[in-house]
Amino acid sequence: MKKELPLKSGLVENVRFFMGNGQTVLVSCSNKKGTTKNVLTVTWVTPTSFQPLLFLISIGKGEKGEGTYRFSYRLIEESREFVINVPTIDLKEKVLQAGCIHGESMDKFKEIKLTPIKAKITAAPLIEECILNIECRVVKEFETGDHVVFVGEAVAIHYNEDVMTEDGFSNKYKQKSNMVHIVDLLEEKI
Ligand SMILES: Cc1cc2nc3c(=O)[nH]c(=O)nc-3n(C[C@H](O)[C@H](O)[C@H](O)COP(=O)(O)O)c2cc1C
């Protein structure tokens, strides 16, 4: 038997957990000059084209004080760049922290103890502790309600040596359970 979920019900919030792939990443960003850098946690991320290689991230654009306020949105909007960093499950606590605090009045990298390293092309840094880092340049942007979708073209990709072999992915990382999934964070956050 089906039940209808009224669109105004508080439970609608939960529907989003049934959607999307749930893999959760750290997105690093900076202002244009690279003098202010930041990192936030993002579950709304997906590949969206092979050629060119494109990824999209959906970032809250609310004003300060609103639930969808993201300092990172301001930085990406200015620099037109971001880096997608793929964390492994051992970084779970840091991923949660990056998704719960705002970076405008602190150095979130120091606060969370993540190591920013210079990227090849973007002013936004790579995160050393993550196994895969994709430098992206924004090629398209559009509003979706209270979020903005940034479509980024990969301009450089870096990976830890043990992530890939000449034959493809190493067995260690074929297991998605090695990465951070929204479900791993649910208990603490929701
Ligand atoms: C598990 C998890 C997933 C999140 N996914 C997203 C997301 O996809 N898009 C987004 O804009 N914010 C997302 N957030 C919220 C931001 O990471 C959070 O608001 C962060 O504190 C913003 O930091 P900033 O203000 O320094 O940019 C998520 C938070 C958590 C804990």
Side-chain angles (χ1 to χ4, degrees):
M1 229 252 290
K2 293 275 178 197
K3 283 177 89 176
E4 182 174 354
L5 184 62
L7 291 174
K8 290 214 160 85
S9 150
L11 290 174
V12 164
E13 285 276 296
N14 297 339
V15 171
R16 66 178 194 267
F17 294 110
F18 291 91
M19 307 303 299
N21 69 45
Q23 184 169 343
T24 300
V25 300
L26 289 169
V27 169
S28 46
C29 48
S30 74
N31 61 352
K32 211 168 193 156
K33 288 186 176 160
T35 48
T36 300
K37 57 186 179 311
N38 197 37
V39 51
L40 90 164
T41 300
V42 171
T43 298
W44 289 354
V45 54
T46 186
T48 185
S49 162
F50 286 126
Q51 203 53 258
L53 184 55
L54 302 179
F55 297 91
L56 66 80
I57 56 172
S58 180
I59 303 295
K61 68 172 172 65
E63 294 301 321
K64 244 181 172 167
E66 292 176 356
T68 54
Y69 173 72
R70 315 280 186 258
F71 178 53
S72 304
Y73 166 73
R74 272 75 193 166
L75 295 177
I76 298 171
E77 189 66 17
E78 179 191 323
S79 67
R80 321 298 300 161
E81 297 173 342
F82 58 88
V83 179
I84 298 172
N85 305 273
V86 178
T88 41
I89 191 69
D90 53 302
L91 295 175
K92 180 177 136 175
E93 293 307 322
K94 292 175 194 275
V95 172
L96 197 57
Q97 278 178 289
C100 294
I101 52 178
H102 293 297
E104 70 268 59
S105 56
M106 67 171 77
D107 182 337
K108 239 202 242 188
F109 285 92
K110 277 202 181 123
E111 180 75 20
I112 303 177
K113 298 194 176 61
L114 286 170
T115 316
I117 50 177
K118 198 175 166 0
K120 183 179 172 200
I121 294 177
T122 61
L126 315 180
I127 298 177
E128 181 161 35
E129 291 81 359
C130 292
I131 56 165
L132 178 67
N133 319 86
I134 308 167
E135 296 181 43
C136 296
R137 248 193 210 134
V138 174
V139 291
K140 213 170 265 183
E141 164 187 350
F142 52 93
E143 279 191 30
T144 53
D146 53 16
H147 279 54
V148 165
V149 168
F150 291 105
V151 180
E153 178 168 357
V155 289
I157 301 176
H158 315 265
Y159 62 95
N160 288 8
E161 273 174 347
D162 65 345
V163 171
M164 280 185 241
T165 65
E166 280 178 12
D167 306 324
F169 278 102
S170 64
N171 281 331
K172 184 173 171 189
Y173 295 109
K174 276 185 188 154
Q175 293 298 330
K176 279 281 193 174
S177 57
N178 276 335
M179 292 160 208
V180 180
H181 192 275
I182 184 80
V183 168
D184 300 315
L185 307 166
L186 288 184
E187 277 169 43
E188 285 104 321
K189 172 77 179 139
I190 294 137

